[in-house]
Amino acid sequence: MSQKIQELEILTPDDWHVHLRDGEALSFTVPATARCFARAIIMPNLVPPVVGVAQAEAYRGRILEHVPADSHFEPLMTLYLTDSITPEEINKAAASSVVHACKLYPAGATTNSQSGVSDLAHLDSVFAVMEDVGLPLLIHGEITEAEVDIFDREKQFIEKHLIPIHKKFPKLKIVLEHITTADAVDFVERTSSSVAATITPQHLLFNRNDMLVGGIKPHLYCLPILKAGRHQKALQMAAISGNPKFFLGTDSAPHARNTKEAPCGCAGCYSAPFAIELYATIFEQLGALDRLEGFASRFGAEFYGLPVNQSKIVLQRSEQTLAEKLPYVDESGIVPLAAGSPLHWKLRS
Ligand code: NCD
Ligand code: ZN
């Protein structure tokens, strides 16, 4: 009988997609992410959004105030693309040491995307500069036309927008964020090395039945929405494939409990406090713990052209039950992803 490994040492991972929010929330979210990630790509969908280098620098400063004293956590900032972003601002971003990518939210696609891009044609001159200077374009890949079914929005975005963008700007580095479908896996696999994708723990661990059968689970509601089991399977296979085009991005997106458990609940899963343990759990279930380090700690840095971390973390086998609720900005608290479920790994501190 094969014996289960008790300890796993990997290079310190990075999170290539996280929402830390602002203000009081930072005192919860920053330590949760800095706990195990050396760096993180910080999403810019604040209200108002982070649209320029000056705002990104100021936001970075507010984040750094909450980094625990014993941590070297480095926030990698992004700009939120709007219809009025200019090529000059992109050049400024590329020259700054603070901004590492630009995020494209189609207007209305998700939380705080009201000021997103209404017509991609507006951005041709901006994409041309990004391609030139090597600044990655991070995409929330969902079409927003009201008549398009929510489960088809990613697939249609790829066909209608992503393929044309990639054709027009073949060297533009693109990360299709939080992919949810076999179609996205397919697209990324057959496209050149300038296109990659992040995968979240919720889309690896769950499918839409988990969210909808036997009662609706608002804490599994995120965007892009969980898809059918066959899509979950395709994402799992991509994550453990060892293909460097697929890497870790939690999309940890905190919302207070009372805004999720509501008649019109917010989209987003909060995974930061247990993120690496959740990924380890699913990689182990898939018999691929040996592939975790590439996915979590190497491929993202390589894609962004940054050095791989030198330090290491140790995960220890340990049976624990994930907290049902954690403290957050109001007395309703926050319910983490997979709350109340068994967890088989623990980060050694
Ligand atoms: C994110 C949020 O809450 O900011 N929500 C989500 O469901 N993922 C926005 C996003 O990444 O779509
Ligand atoms: Zn996100």
Side-chain angles (χ1 to χ4, degrees):
M1 209 173 78
S2 72
Q3 202 148 30
K4 283 188 177 174
I5 72 156
Q6 297 299 313
E7 255 190 25
L8 180 67
E9 187 180 60
I10 60 170
L11 292 168
T12 304
D14 303 301
D15 184 352
W16 300 98
H17 182 130
V18 70
H19 301 265
L20 298 179
R21 311 302 189 206
D22 206 351
E24 210 194 322
L26 294 175
S27 65
F28 301 94
T29 59
V30 175
T33 288
R35 178 189 74 100
C36 101
F37 295 112
R39 296 169 291 198
I41 283 278
I42 311 300
M43 287 296 125
N45 61 332
L46 306 180
V47 190
V50 180
V51 293
V53 177
Q55 286 102 317
E57 281 169 349
Y59 183 31
R60 180 172 178 273
R62 298 195 295 279
I63 293 168
L64 289 176
E65 286 172 25
H66 295 275
V67 174
D70 57 348
S71 159
H72 299 105
F73 175 69
E74 194 188 341
L76 309 174
M77 309 311 290
T78 62
L79 296 190
Y80 182 116
L81 296 177
T82 68
D83 289 339
S84 44
I85 183 95
T86 60
E88 292 71 50
E89 197 64 32
I90 301 297
N91 275 313
K92 224 162 106 186
S96 86
S97 55
V98 165
V99 176
H100 290 264
C102 295
K103 179 71 190 273
L104 171 67
Y105 291 102
T110 186
T111 310
N112 303 336
S113 63
Q114 310 82 290
S115 4
V117 175
S118 65
D119 183 352
L120 286 168
H122 292 152
L123 292 184
D124 274 4
S125 58
V126 163
F127 291 163
V129 178
M130 290 176 65
E131 181 178 40
D132 224 43
V133 299
L135 199 62
L137 173 67
L138 316 183
I139 300 184
H140 184 110
E142 285 194 288
I143 216 154
T144 53
E145 279 77 349
E147 68 278 9
V148 178
D149 189 90
I150 189 168
F151 293 102
D152 298 334
R153 289 180 169 204
E154 183 174 276
K155 180 178 187 324
Q156 289 208 19
F157 183 92
I158 294 169
E159 288 159 8
K160 286 208 182 129
H161 298 300
L162 190 49
I163 291 174
I165 295 174
H166 177 60
K167 261 211 183 108
K168 208 161 180 182
F169 305 98
K171 297 217 161 65
L172 175 62
K173 282 190 188 182
I174 295 177
V175 184
L176 186 53
E177 298 288 344
H178 41 50
I179 57 170
T180 62
T181 57
D183 311 278
V185 169
D186 233 46
F187 169 76
V188 172
E189 276 175 348
R190 65 186 152 76
T191 315
S192 76
S193 60
S194 56
V195 177
T198 51
I199 307 182
T200 75
Q202 63 267 27
H203 293 103
L204 291 174
L205 285 163
F206 302 107
N207 61 54
R208 65 191 185 189
N209 274 13
D210 299 306
M211 178 175 58
L212 296 171
V213 174
I216 190 161
K217 321 295 187 312
H219 298 291
L220 289 183
Y221 174 61
C222 67
L223 290 170
I225 197 159
L226 295 176
K227 304 296 193 298
R230 76 175 180 90
H231 293 292
Q232 179 194 12
K233 199 82 220 144
L235 298 171
Q236 291 175 345
M237 291 305 112
I240 65 165
S241 66
N243 183 339
K245 287 165 146 272
F246 299 101
F247 46 83
L248 185 158
T250 61
D251 193 21
S252 177
H255 293 276
R257 186 168 69 90
N258 60 4
T259 64
K260 300 269 306 164
E261 298 174 8
C264 183
C266 293
C269 300
Y270 185 49
S271 57
F274 309 100
I276 195 66
E277 291 89 339
L278 289 166
Y279 281 110
T281 298
I282 182 82
F283 271 64
E284 180 169 42
Q285 265 170 35
L286 297 169
L289 265 182
D290 59 322
R291 295 286 170 88
L292 182 63
E293 185 181 63
F295 176 81
S297 316
R298 287 184 187 277
F299 303 154
E302 286 163 4
F303 184 84
Y304 275 80
L306 293 169
V308 166
N309 297 314
Q310 300 285 302
S311 56
K312 293 190 168 173
I313 61 161
V314 176
L315 288 162
Q316 292 176 315
R317 185 173 300 284
S318 141
E319 298 307 322
Q320 47 170 335
T321 303
L322 238 146
E324 295 281 358
K325 197 171 102 169
L326 295 169
Y328 194 51
V329 294
D330 64 26
E331 71 289 349
S332 77
I334 193 164
V335 177
L337 180 67
S341 310
L343 203 56
H344 310 303
W345 292 94
K346 195 178 176 137
L347 182 70
R348 191 172 80 191
S349 48

